[in-house]
Amino acid sequence: MPDTSVSTPPAPHPRLRRLQAGVEALLIRLRPYLWVWPPIAFGAGVLSFFLVDRQQWLGGLLALGMLLAWVLLLGEGLIGRLLARRGYPTLPQGITAFIAQLIHQETLFFCLPFLLATTVWTSGQALFTLLLIGLGLLSIIDPLYYRLAGRLRWLYFAFHAQCVFVVVLVTLPLLLSLTTAESLGYALLAMVVFALPSLIHLLHPKGWRSWLTLLGVALLLAGAAWSGRAWVPTAHLRLTGSALAPELDRDSRTPVGELDLTPEALAREGLYAYTAIRAPRGLEETIYHEWHHQGELLDRIPLTVHGGREAGYRAWSHKLNFPETSSGDWRIDIVTSSGQRLGSLRFDVSAAAPQRADGEIHVLQGIPGLEWRRMLPGMPGSHGEPG
């Protein structure tokens, strides 16, 4: 006779039950103190930012902890199903949402110092960083966060995908010494993959046509995200010093001399654009000096930056072939190979009231994103002006 007995899952181990109950009780006790977590995560981000050059291993360790937390969060559903099949109780939905909230807060506030420090506030990058600040505030306002997690699931998954994008963008250069373009590519890929649940909730695909539509929308999202890459801060590269000069001492790598910026003087002497770029130790990346006259791109000069110098890697470009009609506004954009801007040098060429290139290196101190003056074009210390 066939065996009609119903197999039952093995009884859960009492130690695992007690451990699970203890974790649940601990999280419930910690919940009233959730407000402490964002400042801790922000402090860890600031610490990691400053230790990139001095203690690379510690900055990498903090970044690795971030990624492990995300692995735990992303694997929580699979782990819960495996435990349920074996008869073990899973954590209540409220507890899992609480854990997700902790990791979202950790991600946003850990990454925020890197973005504040590298954002060019006079560009579209300011909108990206302000969006991240808004998401961070959303993550600490419980009624809004849990309404998002419980009722607006598609929007919650989009929030989740944005957090994945930021954590990959910030941590991979610390761990693997990837270039800005490589980190951005991996971050965009991760964001699109984790945005798929949002698209599924919106489109509810059933047949093969709807699944093809879903794939097309995902590819469109990836293309739109890549086309907007110039609005994303570099996270690890930042301009720490800049100068304009007629000459450069190559032994000491410092600009020297003074020059009135008239069309005749530039045609005769040329002009050096000096920049110091701060980057993590072990990183080697190509950046570009893009010389613009009256908004038109004239030259794009590649420069190789090596990370690890706290004051920034010193690089320069030298322009000699100024046009005959060189009067007017000039702008030198410092950009990565992916088109992300680190800053700009601006100067005006005029025979009547010439500006002066004095070779003085204008240094930006501390976390420049926290200096309000950088948010105003033309103020000393801003990315929009060399002064």
Side-chain angles (χ1 to χ4, degrees):
M1 294 182 62
D3 186 8
T4 58
S5 60
V6 178
S7 60
T8 58
H13 197 283
R15 288 185 178 179
L16 185 56
R17 278 188 176 276
R18 288 197 297 270
L19 176 62
Q20 203 166 10
V23 170
E24 186 176 342
L26 177 62
L27 291 175
I28 292 175
R29 287 188 176 184
L30 290 177
R31 193 162 189 168
Y33 306 99
L34 182 63
W35 62 271
V36 178
W37 189 239
I40 292 176
F42 185 82
V46 172
L47 183 66
S48 181
F49 178 82
F50 281 113
L51 292 178
V52 165
D53 291 328
R54 299 173 183 173
Q55 296 290 339
Q56 179 78 9
W57 64 271
L58 184 54
L61 186 63
L62 291 170
L64 181 61
M66 284 289 304
L67 285 183
L68 290 178
W70 270 98
V71 170
L72 177 63
L73 177 61
L74 299 176
E76 183 270 331
L78 177 61
I79 295 172
R81 286 192 293 270
L82 291 176
L83 290 174
R85 288 178 183 177
R86 294 180 173 271
Y88 296 112
T90 57
L91 291 174
Q93 185 176 1
I95 296 298
T96 57
F98 175 65
I99 295 174
Q101 184 184 19
L102 287 177
I103 295 178
H104 286 149
Q105 290 177 356
E106 179 188 25
T107 297
L108 295 168
F109 286 94
F110 176 88
C111 296
L112 199 53
F114 292 88
L115 300 175
L116 289 172
T118 57
T119 295
V120 180
W121 291 98
T122 54
S123 72
Q125 293 179 6
L127 297 178
F128 181 90
T129 302
L130 290 175
L131 171 64
L132 264 294
I133 293 174
L135 295 181
L137 294 176
L138 173 62
S139 72
I140 62 177
I141 302 175
D142 288 354
L144 292 179
Y145 181 86
Y146 285 103
R147 182 180 179 184
L148 189 72
R151 299 180 184 179
L152 303 173
R153 294 295 291 175
W154 69 272
L155 193 56
Y156 176 76
F157 284 123
F159 175 88
H160 188 73
Q162 184 66 27
C163 290
V164 171
F165 171 81
V166 174
V167 74
V168 173
L169 183 73
V170 169
T171 58
L172 283 191
L174 290 177
L175 295 174
L176 304 177
S177 296
L178 297 183
T179 66
T180 303
E182 291 170 339
S183 300
L184 180 64
Y186 285 122
L188 288 175
L189 177 62
M191 183 185 72
V192 171
V193 169
F194 289 101
L196 288 177
S198 291
L199 298 177
I200 292 174
H201 273 73
L202 284 173
L203 301 177
H204 302 288
K206 296 180 180 178
W208 64 271
R209 291 184 179 179
S210 58
W211 280 104
L212 284 179
T213 301
L214 176 67
L215 178 61
V217 173
L219 293 176
L220 184 63
L221 175 64
W226 180 254
S227 65
R229 62 192 181 277
W231 288 31
V232 179
T234 56
H236 290 283
L237 296 179
R238 69 179 176 93
L239 186 65
T240 60
S242 61
L244 295 172
E247 300 177 17
L248 190 130
D249 185 339
R250 294 178 182 266
D251 292 332
S252 62
R253 293 194 169 201
T254 54
V256 293
E258 296 184 357
L259 182 71
D260 288 333
L261 297 178
T262 64
E264 295 78 12
L266 290 178
R268 183 180 64 253
E269 302 287 343
L271 187 66
Y272 280 92
Y274 166 94
T275 53
I277 309 296
R278 184 179 184 272
R281 182 179 290 115
L283 180 66
E284 180 176 318
E285 180 158 354
T286 299
I287 64 167
Y288 296 86
H289 281 188
E290 295 183 343
W291 292 70
H292 298 260
H293 180 226
Q294 300 291 100
E296 179 185 356
L297 176 63
L298 299 183
D299 291 293
R300 192 169 191 258
I301 303 172
L303 306 168
T304 301
V305 172
H306 300 275
R309 191 173 186 270
E310 185 175 354
Y313 185 84
R314 295 164 292 181
W316 61 87
S317 60
H318 186 199
K319 183 171 177 59
L320 289 169
N321 57 334
F322 279 88
E324 293 183 3
T325 56
S326 60
S327 297
D329 295 327
W330 284 82
R331 186 182 79 248
I332 307 168
D333 287 337
I334 301 94
V335 301
T336 66
S337 58
S338 55
Q340 295 164 268
R341 189 149 64 98
L342 283 75
S344 298
L345 294 162
R346 296 179 183 271
F347 60 96
D348 183 70
V349 176
S350 172
Q355 188 177 338
R356 194 168 186 81
D358 57 9
E360 180 183 353
I361 300 176
H362 303 277
V363 180
L364 301 175
Q365 300 285 353
I367 299 183
L370 298 179
E371 296 178 8
W372 65 269
R373 295 182 303 170
R374 292 184 62 219
M375 302 180 69
L376 303 176
M379 289 295 290
S382 73
H383 270 312
E385 297 287 338

